[in-house]
Amino acid sequence: MQVSARGEYAVRIAVTLATGHPRTVSASSLAAAQALPRKFAEVILGDLRRAGLVDSARGVEGGYRLSRDPEEVSVGEVLRAVDGPLSGVRGRRPEETSYEGAAVNLPRLWVAARAAVRSVLDEVSLAQAASGEFPVRVNELTDADEAWMPR
Amino acid sequence: MQVSARGEYAVRIAVTLATGHPRTVSASSLAAAQALPRKFAEVILGDLRRAGLVDSARGVEGGYRLSRDPEEVSVGEVLRAVDGPLSGVRGRRPEETSYEGAAVNLPRLWVAARAAVRSVLDEVSLAQAASGEFPVRVNELTDADEAWMPR
DNA sequence: GCATATCCTATCTATCAAGTAGGATTCAAG
DNA sequence: CTTGAATCCTACTTGATAGATAGGATATGC
């Protein structure tokens, strides 16, 4: 589950938009608020716009805002908008994999891993990500000390 | 959760070794059994050896075998051996991230996502991956039709 | 018409994934 | 004590991609 710089930036931008919702905010403000390169932030906002997650307005008083309420947009959607599918195996989707011999059962494993990722990223809204009030199932995952340890 | 070609190959190789355990198998046999490039398989087996997951023997009658029983090796360990940490955000570990402003709660989200991935990949052994008899929690994830749908 | 935005196209650079090549080394068996 | 089969080591190629940056065209409100 590697999140790219684009993905991380996109989520930070989206969460910032969520807290200011429904005000429109310029790319420079967003970049400044999260200490990101402005031009790169513009590129990312373009992705979010093309994915229909944000609306934009040009000119003075222009900027970006979420096209839906922050409660209705998941972190997963934001990540997909900039980085494509959350999960993949060798460039294919988990359910598209297929193997011979001892590996025949692996597709089920890949699908399970994807489902696990989705159970977090698709179940947390931008509003929740901003407030820190995550769903119970998600909190349970971070409760164990082990979850905070590297491996 | 992108699994690279190396990662996929490594798991296929490991599962193949698991079914033949404890016999030693040559790189060419493994490559042939899973239809992988032989030389690339050698490279991957070198990673697995350096990680201590397989033992190797040179010469005629040489080859590779799991250094532990297939029940005692998780798929996650295999993936880490060839691709490094399972989860990362912009090249850092989830618990090492830190943000200002609206994004302050994101580290908990990244940690939750990692925990979710671990709950599958670290809980499935090579023996289970080979037999298809996954833990209950993992089967529950693949039971829903939704789990098999792209997004 | 001017300041402030978004938006578009192009470019750059470094890194990495995926795989290949060739040969040195080891070992068992005959 | 040679031969064949295997691991092991170093190096290389090739293409794609991430992570930006540059410059300007276009729209908008006052």
Side-chain angles (χ1 to χ4, degrees):
Chain A
M1 230 280 314
Q2 301 293 330
V3 177
S4 67
R6 295 170 72 87
E8 192 209 46
Y9 293 173
V11 174
R12 288 163 68 186
I13 287 170
V15 165
T16 305
L17 284 176
T19 68
H21 194 73
R23 285 194 298 278
T24 119
V25 188
S26 74
S28 342
S29 303
L30 291 166
Q34 284 296 315
L36 317 175
R38 186 189 116 248
K39 274 297 198 181
F40 199 19
E42 281 186 24
V43 172
I44 289 165
L45 282 158
D47 288 341
L48 297 178
R49 177 177 52 81
R50 256 166 265 121
L53 294 180
V54 306
D55 292 331
S56 64
R58 288 181 162 192
V60 185
E61 309 278 287
Y64 301 86
R65 44 180 291 208
L66 293 176
S67 59
R68 281 180 269 151
D69 286 336
E71 293 79 15
E72 305 302 322
V73 182
S74 74
V75 172
E77 288 179 88
V78 173
L79 288 172
R80 281 190 198 93
V82 298
D83 276 344
L86 295 183
S87 307
V89 178
R90 221 179 129 212
R92 296 197 187 77
R93 292 174 168 282
E95 79 276 9
E96 293 169 354
T97 59
S98 150
Y99 309 98
E100 306 270 303
V104 284
N105 294 303
L106 293 183
R108 272 176 56 220
L109 182 62
W110 304 141
V111 167
R114 174 175 67 182
V117 172
R118 286 177 172 178
S119 77
V120 171
L121 298 180
D122 282 339
E123 301 301 326
V124 172
S125 69
L126 293 179
Q128 291 171 329
S131 70
E133 288 169 19
F134 297 142
V136 184
R137 296 292 295 270
V138 172
N139 280 331
E140 286 170 1
L141 286 169
T142 57
D143 279 349
D145 287 352
E146 203 202 24
W148 294 83
M149 307 290 283
R151 271 196 191 161
Chain B
M1 230 280 315
Q2 301 293 331
V3 177
S4 68
R6 295 171 73 87
E8 192 209 47
Y9 293 173
V11 174
R12 289 163 67 186
I13 287 170
V15 166
T16 305
L17 284 175
T19 68
H21 193 73
R23 283 192 300 276
T24 118
V25 188
S26 73
S28 344
S29 302
L30 290 166
Q34 284 296 316
L36 315 176
R38 186 189 115 247
K39 273 296 197 181
F40 199 18
E42 282 185 24
V43 172
I44 289 165
L45 282 159
D47 288 341
L48 296 179
R49 176 177 52 82
R50 255 166 266 122
L53 294 180
V54 306
D55 292 330
S56 64
R58 288 182 162 192
V60 186
E61 308 278 286
Y64 301 87
R65 42 180 293 207
L66 294 176
S67 59
R68 282 180 270 150
D69 286 335
E71 292 80 15
E72 306 302 322
V73 182
S74 73
V75 172
E77 287 179 90
V78 173
L79 288 172
R80 281 190 198 92
V82 298
D83 276 344
L86 295 183
S87 306
V89 178
R90 220 178 129 213
R92 294 196 189 76
R93 292 175 169 281
E95 78 277 8
E96 292 168 355
T97 59
S98 149
Y99 309 99
E100 305 271 303
V104 283
N105 294 301
L106 292 183
R108 272 177 55 221
L109 182 61
W110 304 140
V111 168
R114 175 174 67 182
V117 172
R118 287 177 171 177
S119 77
V120 172
L121 298 180
D122 282 339
E123 300 302 325
V124 172
S125 69
L126 294 179
Q128 291 171 328
S131 71
E133 289 169 17
F134 298 142
V136 184
R137 297 292 297 271
V138 172
N139 280 331
E140 286 170 0
L141 286 169
T142 56
D143 278 349
D145 287 352
E146 203 202 23
W148 293 82
M149 307 289 285
R151 270 195 190 161

